[in-house]
Amino acid sequence: MSGPAAAGRRQVHLAAQLPGIHNVTVWSDPRSRSQIAFDSFLHLARTAERGRFDFFFLAEGLRLREHKGELYDLDVVGRPENLTQLSALAAVTTRLGLAATVNATFNEPYEVARRLATLDHLSGGRSAWNVVTSFDAFTGENFRRGGFLAEADRYGRAAEFLATTRELWDSWADGDVRADAAAGAFVRPGAGRFAHHGRHFDISGRFTTPRPPQGHPVIIQAGESDPGRDFAAAEADVVFSKYNRLDQARAFYRDVKGRLPRYGRGPDELKILPTATVVVADSDAEAAAYADEITRAQVGPQTAIAHLEAVWGRDLTAYDPDGPLPDIDPEPDSLMLKGHSLFRRDRAETARRWRALAAERGLSIRELVIEVSGGQTFVGSPHTVADAMDHFVQTGGADGFVLVPHLTPEGLDDFVARVVPLLQEKGVFRRDYTGPTLRDHLGLPSAPARAAADPTGTEEEAS
């Protein structure tokens, strides 16, 4: 279905993530290439742009994770700094949005606002910021102030951090760069002046970077807790969701979208995008076999035991990953896996649920970890995958997906070549970009322009 026949059907939004956390990446696969070299980032970004994706996303952690005191190297834990990578990609892409995780606990608003505004200028309006907080003092040890905030206070700091960066972006108006050679005036005298006085930040001065092309870069958030969902409904343009099973996804979608009216926002002002994986083959049976192969590579024996140790808080290397769960109780105050947000809350309850599931289904340790890890999201022939993704969006599960390939960097090549054309034929995915900015791709308005002050003003320029 395409053209007028597709009128009224919801559009599917797509983003690509080069994975670098958790065990999605099968870096031991002989087809996998460098996880660090710029060519890998470039290949996936160009694939996403060829597929007319909304944006390319890089997550980031601020400390290498440790498992029992040693580096946790069962998945990719080290990557070059992501805003630097995206700045390089801005020069070799033309329309693809460029999204980065930047931590609001261990950074400062002035510097983050400056770097994101710079990326927006370099890319012609394609930058996005995934606002995250840090949950542990372990990460804080890399910074002067350590774990200086209780977790309950970190959303408060993040909200004020975001408000402050927006004040900095708004300190320049669209007409502040005058470049008037006849008058000898390059900028309006008052350009960039700001002052913020709050609980977490008390700053004033002049912001160095003119207003970004989008007004404000796109704001992304991964709201899961109740305060996180409220923060997303109040402030975010995009929400990353972990719910890629349709029943759970619909419940999350209804909940977060239902919070928008209390902040004076409509349902189209926030896009909800769950992370998803895709396995495409010539037939459904072939794809299912390949998906099982991928999942078992992602959850090998070491990974299965490590996941169990993260919940149990005990050394379980003596247990057979293909055998039953331990008959000992978890150690609630012991943390075997540090720097990893997975399984950090309600570990005793998690262990109880896992025991019940394993007993009900007769699952081994490895089979259980595969089950709770979720497996692959969309599996089948190109038509099967396109139909399933379309159904997910049309029935209120999401506005689209952040696709996370298991192979770097060629993991989305088949999807772009074989599934994207089918979504286009259905009339639910763009055949070409319709505007230059990421806000255009997402169907979001630019941040309201602030009018420049009277250019004849006499305020003195700070030296």
Side-chain angles (χ1 to χ4, degrees), residues 113-133:
R114 183 167 167 259
R115 296 175 70 202
L116 285 163
T118 298
L119 178 59
D120 212 52
H121 281 287
L122 287 174
S123 64
R126 296 185 281 135
S127 70
W129 171 22
N130 179 37
V131 184
V132 302
T133 62

Side-chain angles (χ1 to χ4, degrees), residues 6-28:
R9 292 177 64 79
R10 301 175 62 198
Q11 293 297 295
V12 176
H13 293 274
L14 294 175
Q17 177 182 350
L18 196 152
I21 56 173
H22 308 317
N23 56 303
V24 175
T25 302
V26 184
W27 56 262
S28 58

Side-chain angles (χ1 to χ4, degrees), residues 247-264:
D247 56 342
Q248 297 174 333
R250 285 172 175 162
F252 179 81
Y253 190 89
R254 286 193 302 268
D255 180 75
V256 175
K257 294 272 187 171
R259 297 173 190 238
L260 292 170
R262 73 182 71 164
Y263 301 104

Side-chain angles (χ1 to χ4, degrees), residues 10 232-239 253-272 399 442-445:
R10 301 175 62 198
E235 305 291 353
D237 301 305
V238 175
V239 171
Y253 190 89
R254 286 193 302 268
D255 180 75
V256 175
K257 294 272 187 171
R259 297 173 190 238
L260 292 170
R262 73 182 71 164
Y263 301 104
R265 306 180 69 194
D268 292 334
E269 295 181 63
L270 178 68
K271 308 300 181 187
I272 297 179
D399 294 302
L442 292 166
L444 300 171

